[in-house]
Amino acid sequence: MNIGFVGLGKLGLPVAYAMGSRGHRVLGWDESAEARAEAEARRLPPGEHAPEGLVQGSDVSVAPLEEVVREAEIVFLAVQTPHEPALDGATRLPDHRSDFDYSYLAAAARSIAATAGAQGVSPTLAVISTVLPGTMEREVAPLLPDGMALAYNPFFTAMGTTIADFLAPEFVLIGVADEVGDADLARFYRTVHDRPLFTTDVRTAELTKLAYNTFIGQKIVFANTMMEIAHKVGGNVDDLTGALALASERIVSPRYLRGGMGDGGPCHPRDNIALSWLSERLDLSHDIFGDIMEAREHQAEWLADLIAERADGRPVVVLGKAFKPESHLTAGSPATLLAAILEERGIAFDHHDAHVDGAGPPIDERPPSLFFVATGHREYQEASFPPGSVVLDPWGCIADQAGVEVVRIGRP
């Protein structure tokens, strides 16, 4: 099929390569000259990975928007719907809430619609961007010319593994208002993989994307609550979650059910905040999404309490700024939130991340310190700590070391 892709950023470009690797001709466009240059140079966004030869062998090229729309049977739209920085989850939760910013989405949809109308073509427009329910109907549908089908088709991918997640998803979510868009997308996805296709109306699909992301956040908050209880009563959080993970039919799957730091990244915290805003608008009986973010923040405060209690005059070193191991991305990072809380309390500390700041001084050359492992990078899991140190480890990933007190939080 001829595929158009508008938005060649950290999500769009890897997915475009994945689509082009499955025999489709993909023409892409981005308003950013820098993004277009990265695509033309066939570079993946930092931290992304692809099988050997996939990018170079993928039929993807950059073209003007007019050509992208004219040639495409489906145009995938992947532009940002950002929050203001204070609402990304990397700092304390402010008193106010807000919807996402749809200005980029509306501008891109308007350009695609105008181009399609001027050329007399009507590809299916499949929007990927994260939105609140009702956004397609309000912001996008009124812009489209007659005969142009609209679908909401968000992806369930994680930064760093975008290509693998797209090519082998748990399922594909398709929200459509007519049979044309459904048929086009079903025909396309059957050339990519054999995973289930779940089709529903557009508004339900918008809500389902957010439900998926925020449910992960709830699992993490629950696991961290159990970690705190286990730490205080002398239990083992890994045994607890290991037992619950066996109840894979009625309770949980094992993924994300592990005590550690709070949920993070560029999607989940802000999705909870957006649904918290929507809860106020809908006058729900209780705002569980605001509760999740407050619980996440309170759990970070409790970890800051442990740091203050156990430092005992030692220098404090926080290891990790990224939101997950082996990543350089700090958006929505619980490690950054923890650092902000320590700063508020006037606790002096050194904050370093091998993937964000570079190698830095070897850990074993530092003086005896209170080390807090905020991101479970391999470098920290394999590090030697100076004798006389205390290591607070919320992940349970640091092995015992001679002369070092390793406190695996919530684990005996």
Side-chain angles (χ1 to χ4, degrees), residues 23-46:
H24 301 289
R25 175 181 176 238
V26 181
L27 297 180
W29 168 256
D30 196 294
E31 287 289 333
S32 166
E34 181 180 354
R36 297 196 302 272
E38 291 295 298
E40 289 172 336
R42 293 193 170 271
R43 284 191 286 265
L44 280 170

Side-chain angles (χ1 to χ4, degrees), residues 130-195:
T130 301
V131 301
L132 284 179
T135 302
M136 293 298 103
E137 181 181 343
R138 184 183 68 251
E139 302 285 346
V140 179
L143 304 174
L144 304 186
D146 292 341
M148 189 170 183
L150 172 64
Y152 184 61
N153 178 215
F155 302 151
F156 300 97
T157 59
M159 299 302 172
T161 57
T162 302
I163 290 175
D165 293 341
F166 177 79
L167 293 177
E170 296 168 290
F171 69 102
V172 175
L173 177 64
I174 302 173
V176 289
D178 57 52
E179 295 180 357
V180 174
D182 187 18
D184 285 346
L185 286 166
R187 182 161 58 97
F188 166 74
Y189 280 112
R190 283 295 164 248
T191 69
V192 178
H193 50 63
D194 61 357
R195 301 304 175 94

Side-chain angles (χ1 to χ4, degrees), residues 78-93:
V79 298
Q80 60 178 322
T81 52
H83 253 145
E84 59 187 275
L87 296 178
D88 79 344
T91 58
R92 280 190 176 276
L93 184 65

Side-chain angles (χ1 to χ4, degrees), residues 180-238:
V180 174
D182 187 18
D184 285 346
L185 286 166
R187 182 161 58 97
F188 166 74
Y189 280 112
R190 283 295 164 248
T191 69
V192 178
H193 50 63
D194 61 357
R195 301 304 175 94
L197 307 183
F198 189 91
T199 302
T200 184
D201 62 272
V202 171
R203 191 168 293 214
T204 300
E206 291 170 320
L207 183 57
T208 301
K209 164 63 175 177
L210 291 162
Y212 183 102
N213 283 356
T214 56
F215 183 70
I216 289 172
Q218 293 181 55
K219 288 177 70 175
I220 292 172
V221 164
F222 175 79
N224 287 343
T225 298
M226 294 301 106
M227 179 179 73
E228 182 176 349
I229 295 172
H231 188 78
K232 292 179 176 178
V233 304
N236 187 323
V237 68
D238 291 338

